[in-house]
Amino acid sequence: MARIISQIIGCGSYLPEKILTNEDLSHIVDTTDEWITSRSGIRRRHIAAEGELTSDLALKAAERALAHAKIDAGEIDLIVVATTTPDNTFPATAVKVQARLGMTHGFAFDVQAVCSGFVYALATADNFIRAGQAKAALVIGAETFSRILDWNDRTTCVLFGDGAGAVVLRGEETGGDPATQRGILSSHLHSDGRYTDLLYVDGGPSSTKTVGHVRMEGKEVFRHAVVNLAEVVHEALEANGLEPSDLDWVVPHQANKRILDGTARKLKMDSGKIVVTVEEHANTSAASVPLALDTAVRDGRIKRGDLLLLEAMGGGLTWGASLVRW
Ligand code: UT7
């Protein structure tokens, strides 16, 4: 019997113009290019201009994804924006994007799962499509993380940056061979709220009536990341009867090159199959998976029919993976 599967029919991304290098940061806090590069693989990050908001970044990535998919905003009936740095506490950044795309139909909302946000948003939109409640969706990860950094704290401010990435999903009827079927094959989400203290923002509307700054126990988060990510990748592969060697590309959350290398080692995968863009934009939280995806699609690495594994872990703790045939 025919069923609905969500296919990713286009992607796009946007990085703000202003670049802050490791060398630039060494004039702001007590750090060095050598420390940042060797501990994280990060060389530079992009910083949103004054007055440039998360919705501006999201809109640019969305427009590029729509152009890549060759469809008009009129065909979209769902927008999900994953962000930790919304323009305002409310309304959702997604409705601002909806309005600026000229849409008065459909529905739009934000998802909050920090660095796992894009994987959560993708799974959410996929479920709406497969349930028949939406036909085509824009899924966006967009952040102005620079606005919640403590620029006096060298343990965090060197690690993050601003950016946005987006994909267009469209529901297609399928009765085809699962071994060649294009689309989102499965998603696997997890959270464990016992670890909120490892990575959080020390403010919020209900607690302090302020926005707050990012606080992180880097070493502990690192340890959880390598274990949880390897586990969720295995879970996604097992659910589909696949082995790590079946994957063409892993498109991971870009937090730290050493986490990506550690995950590749645990999976016994060739590190050349891991898409790494953290050097260029640092950790952009919910934006990093679609930024990496868009980079590898546009430079021709990811080709039609390739099997991709998207994965991420972040504050919460939250983590998840999606298996996608491109
Ligand atoms: O998006 C998901 C969430 N984020 C992550 O996944 C990040 C996970 N964690 C990490 O990426 C790494 O733990 C870090 C990059 C944050 C840190 O690397 P590390 O190898 O775990 O370093 P460390 O925290 O053990 O710090 C080592 C030293 C400390 O000095 P002492 O105490 O050994 O003298 C720090 O004070 O490095 C010092 N340090 C710095 N030095 C220069 C910390 N930050 C800096 C800095 N520049 N920016």
Side-chain angles (χ1 to χ4, degrees), residues 31 35 39 115 154 199 218-219 253 256 258-259 283 313:
T31 192
W35 191 94
R39 299 291 175 126
C115 298
R154 68 175 184 171
L199 178 51
K219 248 191 186 4
H253 169 49
N256 185 324
R258 283 161 52 222
I259 295 178
N283 183 346
M313 200 206 76

Side-chain angles (χ1 to χ4, degrees), residues 133-191:
Q133 291 179 311
K135 287 193 170 61
L138 255 172
V139 181
I140 306 169
E143 302 279 14
T144 47
F145 232 72
S146 61
R147 307 260 156 81
I148 55 167
L149 294 175
D150 175 352
W151 289 96
N152 296 309
D153 176 7
R154 68 175 184 171
T155 68
T156 51
C157 77
V158 304
L159 300 173
F160 296 90
D162 302 337
V167 297
V168 180
L169 296 186
R170 189 165 59 196
E172 304 285 348
E173 277 206 358
T174 171
D177 178 1
T180 53
Q181 178 60 59
R182 290 183 63 215
I184 299 175
L185 305 181
S186 67
S187 292
H188 307 266
L189 304 180
H190 294 275
S191 65

Side-chain angles (χ1 to χ4, degrees), residues 25 29-33 35-36 38-42 114-116 145 153-160 198-199 216-223 225 229 253-259 283-285 288 312-315 317-318:
L25 271 171
V29 286
D30 180 16
T31 192
T32 58
D33 174 44
W35 191 94
I36 301 171
S38 64
R39 299 291 175 126
S40 70
I42 297 164
V114 207
C115 298
S116 312
F145 232 72
D153 176 7
R154 68 175 184 171
T155 68
T156 51
C157 77
V158 304
L159 300 173
F160 296 90
L198 298 185
L199 178 51
M216 177 166 73
E217 299 287 336
K219 248 191 186 4
E220 277 300 297
V221 174
F222 190 109
R223 205 173 55 77
L229 289 173
H253 169 49
Q254 309 285 318
N256 185 324
K257 171 87 167 51
R258 283 161 52 222
I259 295 178
N283 183 346
T284 56
S285 185
S288 90
M313 200 206 76
L317 296 174
T318 54

Side-chain angles (χ1 to χ4, degrees), residues 290-313:
L291 269 164
L293 178 69
D294 189 45
T295 302
V297 167
R298 295 202 186 242
D299 68 20
R301 270 179 286 175
I302 293 175
K303 296 187 176 60
R304 172 72 67 98
D306 279 358
L307 191 63
L308 317 182
L309 195 290
L310 317 186
E311 47 93 325
M313 200 206 76

